[in-house]
């Protein structure tokens, strides 16, 4: 895996005056989602602003009723593989967000780029290569808690009006009730341009002694 794809994190002190939260929703084994994910990681590593990233995995590229979709998924290997990887990622997050992000990239590298088949032994090898506690991971993966938590993520997608993947939600700490949703042209260059606009808008507000939010209203919580 290319070192430029590795997840790096800038420490975010949420007591700071201004920071941004990025919520990235992806299908873990979709090639377009994977490309967007790499673009977002590039942006996070380069951005001068305080940025925190959370990744959410869903097993399809469109949001469906969970029970109906999972019934169908057992008859569709691709959907089932997506679901297993999404749960594997969700379970790994119990050992730390950054660990889970690294595991996700590693699984995508193996299953998308190297075209390996998504099998239990392969997943087990990848987990151990990423220095996770495999038994702890397995206990979580087979628990009802993870599936319930996964359904909470799906509910969050509905609340944020996410219907297709990939999708990116940008939330500004200066106004937590307002956010932007981006579903097209999600790449590092676009985000740099967007965040430069945020900074310029914020500077203009300071000069004019106004307190307008730096994000245009695109979605309300």
């Amino acid at each position: 895996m290319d070192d430029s794809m590795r997840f790096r994190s800038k420490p975010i002190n949420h007591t700071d005056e201004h920071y941004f939260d990025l919520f990235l929703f992806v299908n873990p084994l979709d090639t377009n989602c994977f490309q967007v994910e790499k673009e977002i990681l590039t942006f996070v590593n380069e951005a001068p602003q305080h940025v925190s990233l959370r990744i959410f995995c869903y097993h399809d590229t469109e949001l469906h009723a969970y029970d109906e979709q999972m019934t169908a998924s057992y008859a569709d290997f691709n959907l089932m593989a997506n679901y297993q990887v999404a749960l594997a990622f969700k379970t790994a997050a119990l050992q730390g967000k950054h660990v889970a992000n690294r595991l996700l990239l590693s699984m995508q590298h193996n299953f998308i780029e190297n075209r390996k088949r998504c099998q239990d032994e392969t997943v087990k090898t990848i987990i151990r290569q990423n220095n996770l506690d495999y038994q702890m991971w397995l206990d979580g993966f087979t628990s009802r808690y993870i599936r319930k938590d996964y359904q909470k993520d799906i509910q969050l997608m509905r609340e944020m009006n996410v219907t297709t993947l990939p999708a990116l939600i940008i939330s500004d700490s200066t106004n937590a009730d307002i956010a932007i949703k981006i579903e097209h042209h999600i790449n590092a260059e676009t985000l740099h341009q967007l965040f430069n606009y945020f900074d310029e808008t914020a500077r203009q507000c300071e000069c004019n002694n106004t307190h307008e939010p730096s994000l245009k209203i695109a979605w309300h919580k």
Side-chain angles (χ1 to χ4, degrees), residues 6-221:
R6 296 186 183 280
F7 181 84
R8 300 181 182 87
S9 175
K10 297 177 182 178
I12 302 294
N13 181 358
H14 282 87
T15 62
D16 288 348
E17 182 178 348
H18 195 196
Y19 62 90
F20 295 93
D21 284 311
L22 305 186
F23 302 87
L24 178 62
F25 298 88
V26 297
N27 174 334
L29 297 183
D30 176 74
T31 54
N32 183 42
C33 287
F34 183 38
Q35 182 59 40
V36 166
E37 187 181 322
K38 289 189 287 185
E39 289 283 334
I40 297 299
L41 291 174
T42 296
F43 169 75
V44 169
N45 293 333
E46 295 174 349
Q49 297 89 350
H50 294 294
V51 177
S52 177
L53 173 65
R54 291 185 64 189
I55 300 175
F56 297 85
C57 289
Y58 180 64
H59 59 274
D60 205 348
T61 52
E62 295 184 358
L63 185 62
H64 302 277
Y66 175 80
D67 293 335
E68 294 176 5
Q69 187 71 359
M70 287 320 302
T71 299
S73 73
Y74 283 99
D76 187 313
F77 175 80
N78 289 330
L79 282 178
M80 196 60 205
N82 292 344
Y83 177 62
Q84 295 289 353
V85 171
L87 284 188
F89 167 70
K90 187 72 179 173
T91 305
L94 297 175
Q95 299 185 43
K97 181 180 74 172
H98 300 158
V99 170
N101 290 340
R102 288 197 303 270
L103 177 67
L104 177 60
L105 285 175
S106 185
M107 289 190 292
Q108 291 167 325
H109 173 66
N110 279 273
F111 300 140
I112 298 176
E113 295 182 322
N114 290 348
R115 299 182 180 277
K116 291 184 179 179
R117 192 172 178 84
C118 185
Q119 298 175 322
D120 290 347
E121 281 303 313
T122 307
V123 173
K124 183 177 181 179
T125 298
I126 296 170
I127 287 171
R128 288 182 165 166
Q129 287 175 343
N130 282 273
N131 298 319
L132 276 81
D133 184 319
Y134 177 73
Q135 188 58 51
M136 181 185 298
W137 176 89
L138 185 61
D139 291 343
F141 184 77
T142 55
S143 69
R144 292 182 178 180
Y145 167 79
I146 286 298
R147 283 153 182 78
K148 289 182 178 179
D149 210 34
Y150 183 66
Q151 292 183 62
K152 290 180 181 178
D153 286 351
I154 296 174
Q155 182 58 37
L156 177 65
M157 291 173 66
R158 292 195 175 98
E159 291 173 358
M160 290 186 167
N161 297 323
V162 173
T163 56
T164 61
L165 304 180
L168 178 68
I169 301 288
I170 305 173
S171 178
D172 184 345
S173 66
T174 61
N175 197 325
D177 291 329
I178 299 175
I180 273 183
K181 179 174 69 173
I182 307 175
E183 295 179 324
H184 304 286
H185 307 295
I186 308 174
N187 55 60
E189 181 180 359
T190 297
L191 289 178
H192 278 299
Q193 293 173 353
L194 185 61
F195 274 68
N196 288 338
Y197 168 77
F198 296 160
D199 288 342
E200 180 61 28
T201 302
R203 284 192 293 270
Q204 291 176 1
C205 289
E206 290 175 2
C207 291
N208 297 329
N209 293 320
T210 62
H211 298 283
E212 295 295 326
S214 61
L215 294 183
K216 299 294 184 181
I217 298 174
W219 159 77
H220 285 279
K221 288 184 180 179

